Amino acid sequence: MAPSRRDLQLTPLSGDTAAEIGAMEEVRLLDSYDDDDNDDSLSKIEEGSGGSGLRKIQVGITGMTCAACSNSVEGALMSVNGVFKASVALLQNRADVLFDPNLVKEEDIKEAIEDAGFEAEILAEPVTSGTKTQATLVGQFTIGGMTCAACVNSVEGILRDLPGVKRAVVALATSLGEVEYDPNVISKDDIVTAIEDAGFEGSLVQSNQQDKLLLRVDGVLNELDAQVLEGILTRLNGVRQFRLDRITGELEVVFDPEVVSSRSLVDGIEGEGYGKFKLRVMSPYERLTSKDTGEASNMFRRFISSLSLSIPLFFIQVICPHIALFDTVLVWRCGPFMVGDWLKWALVSVIQFVIGKRFYVAAWRALRNGSTNMDVLVALGTSASYFYSVGALLYGAVTGFWSPTYFDASAMLITFVLLGKYLESLAKGKTSDAMKKLVQLTPATAILIEGKGREREIDALLIHPGDSLKVLPGGKIPADGVVVWGSSYVNESMVTGESVPVSKEVDSPVIGGTINMHGVLHIKATKVGSDAVLSQIISLVETAQMSKAPIQKFADYVASIFVPVVITLALFTLVGWSIGGAVGAYPDEWLPQNGTHFVFSLMFSISVVVIACPCALGLATPTAVMVATGVGATNGVLIKGGDALEKAHKVKYVIFDKTGTLTQGKATVTTAKVFSEMDRGEFLTLVASAEASSEHPLAKAIVEYARHFHFFDESAEDGDTSNKVSQNAGWLLDTSDFSALPGKGIQCLVNNKLILVGNRKLMSENSITIPDHVEKFVEELEESAKTGVIVAYSGQLVGVMGVADPLKREAAVVVEGLLRMGVRPIMVTGDNWRTARAVAKEVGIEDVRAEVMPAGKAEVIRSLQKDGSTVAMVGDGINDSPALAAADVGMAIGAGTDVAIEAADYVLMRNNLEDVITAIDLSRKTLTRIRLNYVFAMAYNVVSIPIAAGVFFPVLRVQLPPWAAGACMALSSVSVVCSSLLLRRYKKPRLTTILEITKE
């Protein structure tokens, strides 16, 4: 973008804003990447500085006129002891210098520049009173031009070696990279420059900074309009920096969120412009989508250009010799060559060096950085064909001996490679369809209700927490929030995977991006931006698609040695066939007309170079992971990465928590029996008063049962009881010294007397005797899959309550399905053995671990892992977090709107056990697809390279020409991507088909 007249230096955020940004700076994908080598640069800096803090200053430099000057300044700065990094910007006449103030002073830096022959001035630091240094940021960058895993390894290595970069991960399938960096050490522009210096195209998509807004501006028609807009931005308070791209109409504004909000900023620009300018906030995902489309379009244009020049070549080579008139013209000698030779040379030169320039540029940059990729092979193969043909023409002009030329091979090779890249771009675009669908769910606009009931339409990305919004029937919910007026049904299937519309009334939560079916709703926004459920889902899917499965390491290793091995094989092919011809190992009849042994050998060698394809290997895993994570998201199963997919496919044990996982989590009291002289109503009031302070599901069921007994409110059965209990709280007794005892129950004081509500262990520890008839009653409850809750008051047992938590209807079928898949289900619960066995018997689980404390679940998991078995844990993601973290595969079920559960590898949006089957089944099918991709990619190279090298030529007498080899190479990577795309047809198993699943 062209910089505007106002290009102010950013000031670090102050106060609470910096703290908020710091709180949000959790590195999602990068935290899962443990690579000790990628912090080497910073480690060296810290060691060199003796652990003290580094400083970064800006120096104004006068007298630089070219790149040589800036290089000279950089060299002078880097030679100063204590300077760790120096970056010189020629156009800005400025240098950023990172140094250790204990080793070098500002004046020393200034003198070093002046000694190099330039004038220097230390620029004043921005005002930082009351500011707080920002922690690391996570930036997402587009990286264009990557073709295989070798490119990925090269970019990752370069990024990780940059000072200030803590983590860096690059994904081939998405052409994206995530970089965690210290903005006080390195800027985003430095990172983009490093990407471009490595030979690729780079640009920042988004970061977790909160003070930048990207807008699309309509109404800028000429230079005067642009100046008016810049004047408005200059006058607005809080605007620190802006850049307007007059060609694309994109406006990037950096602002101080403590001074001006994003909505006030947009309103201010539109208001000052008196309606001339119309602004729309651009989503970063929108830019990604347009970039994907642009890459495919660019490849298509190149392919069409190459094809349009290759068609005349084909006519000259094949058709025209059979037409007397054309043949006469083509063989007419013009100077040292015939007209046909001139035409072919001219056409191919355009294809080779204009249309095919990208291959040369990319190959040179790769070699300059000490790496090799597909571009090196293409450039090498086409150059060999082209320059041999030129040499053959010149040799013929000098000696009169005319050897055959292969201009057509070079042209067709480039054409087919471009066709392959175009098809690959289209196919790769299809792998992100699920992500695009999620992005399309993001609401575009919202109806804002302002003071005095006024309404106006605003961009949905400008909604603030606390805004009142109106949602019309058929419209999208613009943001996460709660209903404050109205009632309706909302279709949440696109977010949660739940197909049945959900009833919404006052105080009901709603999710942004879901569809309001019927009535008008007024909602209050609670979560916006990156905190919204849809944004978190998109972020999780995006992170998963960028992650690397461990199986990818194989492809990375092969890619690192692939190109050198292929070039070596090509040289052996050239030498072997040449020596064979020289010693008479094969007859001269095999040679082409007017051909030599060298030309014959060279064609085999070129075919070897161009048919070999590392791209297919590099795409085998990331494309499959990308499609699988998208498919999972559309089915309500969020997968946090390729690592989770790979572990889930070999799960041997699945551990289920009982309450809320196998059961519905909606406990109800079925029995209340008093074993004392106490009145039934008094007994229920006493127990409810004690349990009112507990958050346990059983406690809520007991309180609701007692309230219903007193007030006979039938409407409470299916609703939220918390409000109803509070409305009638006057009937509860005052309590004190409340204490929840995990695995036992609760205790507190009522009327200064101790009341105990819990199990046998709690009674035994407090010396409460349980009579035989009471014990028999409790056993009968437990044998019928109910939990017996024993109540003691003032040292005496006073009653027992039976609580039942119904099983989920799909529990038994899912358990049987797991057994058929070869997975062993285990139930772990803190409940007593009789109740646990009764529940397990109902669902068909044979292995039960009862009376396990919450912390003990992790111990159970670790005991199963001792023999190397892979263990999955299914829990609620909150109480079961330690167990989810201890398991090889953690599955948080019934997450609903809480999708950012850190301990889980899989987040199951719905509270449905079928999704456990879906998660394992999808992972197995994905790993099977990845293996098939690898088999195809390896088999392709193992079979095609010997054919191209002529191993079977003595038997079949078939030589694979270079252009045909190029076509095979181009289609190989397309085939792998298309193979991964077959995962889009995945249908999750239903209850009727789960029992048909068999062990792989």
Side-chain angles (χ1 to χ4, degrees), residues 437-723:
K437 289 178 181 178
L438 287 172
V439 172
Q440 288 170 0
L441 293 178
T442 307
T445 60
I447 301 175
L448 177 67
I449 304 175
E450 298 181 306
K452 298 181 180 180
R454 291 177 300 176
E455 299 176 5
R456 69 182 177 105
E457 189 174 86
I458 64 169
D459 197 304
L461 293 174
L462 298 177
I463 297 173
H464 297 161
D467 282 347
S468 294
L469 307 167
K470 181 178 181 180
V471 187
L472 299 174
K476 288 182 181 178
I477 306 293
D480 293 0
V482 293
V483 177
V484 295
W485 180 88
S487 62
S488 181
Y489 280 86
V490 174
N491 181 1
E492 297 181 345
S493 61
M494 62 288 296
V495 175
T496 66
E498 189 65 63
S499 59
V500 179
V502 182
S503 174
K504 300 294 180 181
E505 298 179 347
V506 174
D507 292 335
S508 297
V510 290
I511 304 173
T514 55
I515 306 297
N516 179 26
M517 303 291 290
H518 302 296
V520 176
L521 294 176
H522 288 186
I523 69 169
K524 180 180 180 180
T526 55
K527 294 181 179 179
V528 300
S530 60
D531 294 330
V533 170
L534 186 56
S535 293
Q536 291 184 35
I537 291 174
I538 292 173
S539 179
L540 280 176
V541 173
E542 185 180 57
T543 298
Q545 291 179 345
M546 290 189 63
S547 66
K548 287 186 179 180
I551 196 172
Q552 177 71 21
K553 293 178 181 178
F554 167 73
D556 291 344
Y557 170 73
V558 173
S560 66
I561 63 173
F562 188 90
V563 175
V565 168
V566 168
I567 293 175
T568 302
L569 289 175
L571 290 175
F572 273 116
T573 300
L574 177 63
V575 173
W577 278 103
S578 297
I579 294 176
V583 300
Y586 56 85
D588 291 343
E589 288 80 9
W590 289 7
L591 301 179
Q593 185 178 3
N594 296 330
T596 64
H597 290 291
F598 174 77
V599 175
F600 185 62
S601 305
L602 181 64
M603 290 302 104
F604 282 121
S605 180
I606 292 174
S607 294
V608 169
V609 168
V610 297
I611 203 170
C613 183
C615 300
L617 279 170
L619 292 170
T621 298
T623 52
V625 170
M626 191 171 185
V627 176
T629 51
V631 168
T634 58
N635 286 283
V637 177
L638 301 182
I639 308 166
K640 290 196 174 179
D643 185 42
L645 275 170
E646 187 164 344
K647 288 187 294 186
H649 94 283
K650 54 184 179 180
V651 165
K652 183 176 180 180
Y653 299 100
V654 173
I655 295 180
F656 292 99
D657 182 38
K658 179 178 77 72
T659 304
T661 302
L662 289 172
T663 66
Q664 296 179 13
K666 298 178 181 178
T668 56
V669 176
T670 59
T671 306
K673 190 166 184 177
V674 182
F675 292 98
S676 67
E677 300 299 324
M678 188 178 295
D679 176 75
R680 180 179 177 85
E682 183 183 354
F683 168 72
L684 292 177
T685 301
L686 186 68
V687 180
S689 300
E691 292 281 21
S693 299
S694 175
E695 292 296 323
H696 196 281
L698 298 186
K700 294 181 179 180
I702 290 171
V703 173
E704 173 56 22
Y705 181 83
R707 190 203 59 75
H708 178 67
F709 175 83
H710 285 289
F711 299 98
F712 302 100
D713 186 355
E714 299 290 344
S715 64
E717 293 181 3
D718 299 321
D720 180 8
T721 63
S722 59
N723 289 336

Side-chain angles (χ1 to χ4, degrees), residues 752-818:
N752 292 322
K753 295 180 181 179
L754 180 66
I755 180 171
L756 305 171
V757 184
N759 56 20
R760 295 181 182 85
K761 186 180 293 186
L762 180 62
M763 301 299 134
S764 175
E765 290 180 357
N766 288 274
S767 302
I768 303 296
T769 302
I770 303 177
D772 292 342
H773 65 287
V774 176
E775 178 65 28
K776 183 178 180 180
F777 178 76
V778 174
E779 289 177 1
E780 290 174 353
L781 289 174
E782 293 170 347
E783 288 171 356
S784 61
K786 298 174 184 175
T787 301
V789 179
I790 307 172
V791 183
Y793 182 60
S794 189
Q796 298 294 323
L797 190 148
V798 294
V800 174
M801 304 186 76
V803 183
D805 188 0
L807 286 169
K808 292 177 178 175
R809 60 183 180 83
E810 75 277 5
V813 180
V814 169
V815 167
E816 187 172 350
L818 288 172

Side-chain angles (χ1 to χ4, degrees), residues 971-984:
L971 294 176
S972 64
S973 57
V974 176
S975 301
V976 167
V977 177
C978 290
S979 171
S980 295
L981 285 174
L982 291 176
L983 284 171
R984 295 200 306 166

